[in-house]
Amino acid sequence: MSTGLPDGVFWPYDVRMDDRIDYSIPTWDRTDSVSRTLVRLIAQSTNDGIWDWNLETDEVFYSPRWLELVGYLPDELPGHIDTFTNLLHPDDRDHAARTIAEYVAGTRPEYRNEFRLQHKDGSWRWIFTHGIAHRIATGRAIRLVGTHTDITDRVHAAERLESTVAERTNDLSKSLEDLQAAQDRLVQTEKFAALGRLVAGVAHEINTPVGSSLTVASTFINKTDRFEADVASGNVRRSILNEYLAASREAASQIMANLNHAVDLIQLFKEVAADRISDRMGFDLGQVTEQIVRSLQSRLRSPDLTFRVDCEPNLAMNSYPGPYGQVLTNLVLNSAAHAFPGEARGSVHITTRAFDKDNVEILIADDGCGMTQEIQRQAFNPFFTTRRDQGRVGLGLHIVYNIVTNRLGGRIDLDTKPGEGTRIRMIVPREAPLELAAE
């Protein structure tokens, strides 16, 4: 009987791969015990399901591993092409049939495909298949032999990664819209000439995590291509599969971390447009200042840092205590973080007093390390920081400048020298201008 295979090739289907199991499949050739042993070892060592389709009779041999991939034991399914067709997901049948037909007809150079097969438990398993046809002298294919590999974990990992990226991208898109609104408010006020630097800085800062995400995604695609090639060649060992799954998890983790960082950056950028939500209200400047400093002392709790507050009494304000509190908090925390490197001891002195009939003066002075002239010149610029390696963005003093000059309607100066501490002086009106609040 003709096997339909090249001369010297056989498939010893009745070989007992396990003494406890009789696969009971007709033998094509039993003359070569060495070849028979080799085929047995290959079938036992591979993690792929093997199938052999007689295109003339539609009989199909499904190896025990093939049946195991879909949850069945030997002899539970008939050896016919209908077994495969019936297990195919309805949405994948047309494409699977077209792919096979094109390859058998010779219009497709190779046969490989991905589809879903229904497991005995009702679930769907993603399968990668690769097959080779045996053709007679006229070119007609009479047999199709190949393997099935379960790639369900890989597909689900890719789907989860895609869903996460889509979700984070949507969050980033919404945050970018908020950022655009903040920038529009800056343009309307026309009070700060560094808008161009702000836009450039935003693009630079966001480009870092987004660019890193793109690099990770590109690397992951390359790893996927290499893994697919390994699958196609039949060289997929457990170590290769574990390595691919580990790389998938790492890629997803890095992309999520980078996109979360980008979202956090944009949330911070939104603060560049000073708070315009709270209403203007009356308050005592000294009382509010003392309350804020007390809360900061409880947060810092450093024995090496002391605070002194001197507030002139009865400084009645009709302004915005929330934005003022944000300014004072940023300035005090900035001193604590930058003025006293290492274990250096020091103090911060906060003073509030009347400047003239309509304005007050707020002074925040420390006896820390001070700044060089170059650092002082750039201190209020957006995205300028001397500690970028520690994760600082460089918006703290810029936000302070923006709130003081825009929301509170005042001005701010900085006086410092290396080794002689830093002194920040603000002059703000007792009554904040309504036109700025209305914008």
Side-chain angles (χ1 to χ4, degrees), residues 116-133:
R116 288 160 289 182
L117 292 181
Q118 189 169 35
H119 193 273
K120 188 176 182 179
D121 63 12
S123 63
W124 293 98
R125 304 300 172 90
W126 276 97
I127 302 295
F128 170 79
T129 186
H130 178 242
I132 300 175

Side-chain angles (χ1 to χ4, degrees), residues 53 81 84-85 88-104 108 111-117 127 129 144 148:
W53 180 10
I81 190 59
F84 168 72
T85 303
L88 265 174
H89 192 286
D91 294 341
D92 298 335
R93 289 176 183 171
D94 290 343
H95 182 262
R98 184 169 60 255
T99 302
I100 294 174
E102 291 174 355
Y103 174 67
V104 169
R108 180 183 288 268
Y111 173 59
R112 60 175 61 202
N113 196 11
E114 293 182 6
F115 44 73
R116 288 160 289 182
L117 292 181
I127 302 295
T129 186
L144 191 58
H148 279 180

Side-chain angles (χ1 to χ4, degrees), residues 39-53:
V39 171
R40 181 190 64 196
L41 292 174
I42 292 173
Q44 287 177 324
S45 64
T46 183
N47 195 41
D48 296 340
I50 300 172
W51 50 269
D52 177 14
W53 180 10

Side-chain angles (χ1 to χ4, degrees), residues 152-173:
T152 304
D153 290 341
R154 188 200 80 182
V155 172
H156 288 173
E159 289 174 346
R160 288 193 296 271
L161 177 60
E162 182 180 356
S163 175
T164 299
V165 170
E167 180 180 347
R168 295 303 179 188
T169 300
N170 183 58
D171 291 342
L172 184 59
S173 177

Side-chain angles (χ1 to χ4, degrees), residues 18 21 30 34 103 112 134 137 157 205 230 311 323 354 394 425 428:
D18 188 314
I21 301 175
R30 307 185 182 194
V34 175
Y103 174 67
R112 60 175 61 202
H134 171 55
E205 291 295 326
D230 289 337
C311 296
R425 177 174 179 260
V428 298

Side-chain angles (χ1 to χ4, degrees), residues 3-5 11 13 28 50-63 66 78-85 88 96-105 111 115 129-135 141-148:
T3 66
L5 295 174
W11 191 271
Y13 288 139
W28 287 357
I50 300 172
W51 50 269
D52 177 14
W53 180 10
N54 186 327
L55 297 174
E56 297 183 323
T57 65
D58 277 342
E59 293 177 320
V60 182
F61 163 68
Y62 301 107
S63 72
W66 190 99
H80 194 273
I81 190 59
D82 288 346
T83 293
F84 168 72
T85 303
L88 265 174
R98 184 169 60 255
T99 302
I100 294 174
E102 291 174 355
Y103 174 67
V104 169
Y111 173 59
F115 44 73
T129 186
H130 178 242
I132 300 175
H134 171 55
R135 303 178 187 274
I142 60 174
R143 306 199 78 86
L144 191 58
V145 181
T147 60
H148 279 180

